[in-house]
Amino acid sequence: MITSEQQLIFKILIAAGLTFRTLGGLKTIEDPTLTDDEYRVSLGRDYLFFEITEPEELAYTYKANPAGFTPPWNNTYNGIQLVSTEPACACGLIHNSDQIEGKIALVERGDCSFVSKVIRAQEAGAVAVVVTDQDFDNDELFISMVDDTTEREVSIPAAFVLGKNGHIIKATLARLSLPAAVINIPVNISRIAPYKINQPPWLVW
């Protein structure tokens, strides 16, 4: 038999639960779903997104973290090629500058600063840079690309993608003997229903 004291405690707990659920629209175990707007916010307001249109095996929407030392992604590039640099780290002279010119350079992290990589790609004629982590297993940690304090001027935008995405993109292009992927960057997902966002099947945002 429940005593009057226990009944009072239950009432207080119920009232507290309703209050917390009401404030800020917090979700409970019984109501775990997010609205479309809440889902978009959960993706991160400061990230940018791009989509690969070719080859079909890579045709998904990808999430990237913009660099803090480069100009913003004010221009939209539709149908532009994403080309890997040679060497992959882009820390020295880029040997395939003729393929990079007018394209977006895909560069691997490591061996030199992010600023050095972007400047090398910039000198090769790239219009922007996408840097991928060397860690193939990195499917959740977005590195912050920061200035190296050398005060060198960077005039093209850059962004960081997860190592797992970068490695799969590069491996797929190599397997298909393709020199580049065709992408649209950045893409606006703010008006796209979450279930229509075509995320890579090998990871979850």
Side-chain angles (χ1 to χ4, degrees):
M1 182 176 179
I2 299 176
T3 66
S4 58
E5 186 179 49
Q6 289 174 321
Q7 288 179 340
L8 178 60
I9 292 173
F10 288 150
K11 288 179 181 179
I12 292 172
L13 290 174
I14 292 173
L18 291 173
T19 300
F20 277 110
R21 185 179 176 186
T22 301
L23 290 174
L26 297 178
K27 302 302 179 180
T28 66
I29 295 176
E30 293 78 16
D31 185 18
T33 59
L34 295 175
T35 67
D36 287 2
D37 288 339
E38 288 171 336
Y39 177 76
R40 294 188 189 97
V41 169
S42 74
L43 296 179
R45 294 184 183 276
D46 296 328
Y47 291 101
L48 68 82
F49 299 85
F50 68 94
E51 58 187 9
I52 293 180
T53 57
E54 297 177 23
E56 187 176 355
E57 288 185 35
L58 296 172
Y60 302 105
T61 300
Y62 300 82
K63 182 178 178 180
N65 189 23
F69 60 88
T70 68
W73 291 79
N74 290 330
N75 294 327
T76 299
Y77 300 97
N78 290 322
I80 193 168
Q81 290 188 339
L82 177 68
V83 184
S84 295
T85 60
E86 298 174 7
C89 65
C91 289
L93 180 67
I94 294 179
H95 304 307
N96 61 332
S97 58
D98 56 330
Q99 295 176 309
I100 297 294
E101 186 174 4
K103 314 294 194 327
I104 294 180
L106 179 60
V107 176
E108 283 188 6
R109 179 188 179 200
D111 295 336
C112 64
S113 71
F114 290 121
V115 174
S116 294
K117 296 175 186 296
V118 177
I119 287 179
R120 284 293 188 180
Q122 179 179 298
E123 292 172 344
V127 298
V129 175
V130 171
V131 178
T132 180
D133 199 354
Q134 290 177 313
D135 182 5
F136 175 81
D137 294 324
N138 179 11
D139 59 1
E140 60 180 1
L141 178 61
F142 283 92
I143 303 298
S144 294
M145 294 169 58
V146 296
D147 198 340
D148 62 5
T149 71
T150 58
E151 299 184 356
R152 289 175 290 173
E153 185 176 352
V154 175
S155 60
I156 61 175
F160 180 90
V161 296
L162 295 174
K164 193 159 193 176
N165 283 339
H167 279 269
I168 289 177
I169 290 171
K170 296 185 72 170
T172 301
L173 293 177
R175 179 169 52 81
L176 297 176
S177 298
L178 294 174
V182 179
I183 72 173
N184 298 325
I185 185 170
V187 294
N188 184 0
I189 67 166
S190 63
R191 296 185 179 182
I192 301 176
Y195 70 90
K196 290 185 178 180
I197 298 177
N198 192 20
Q199 302 178 36
W202 50 84
L203 57 81
V204 178
W205 291 341

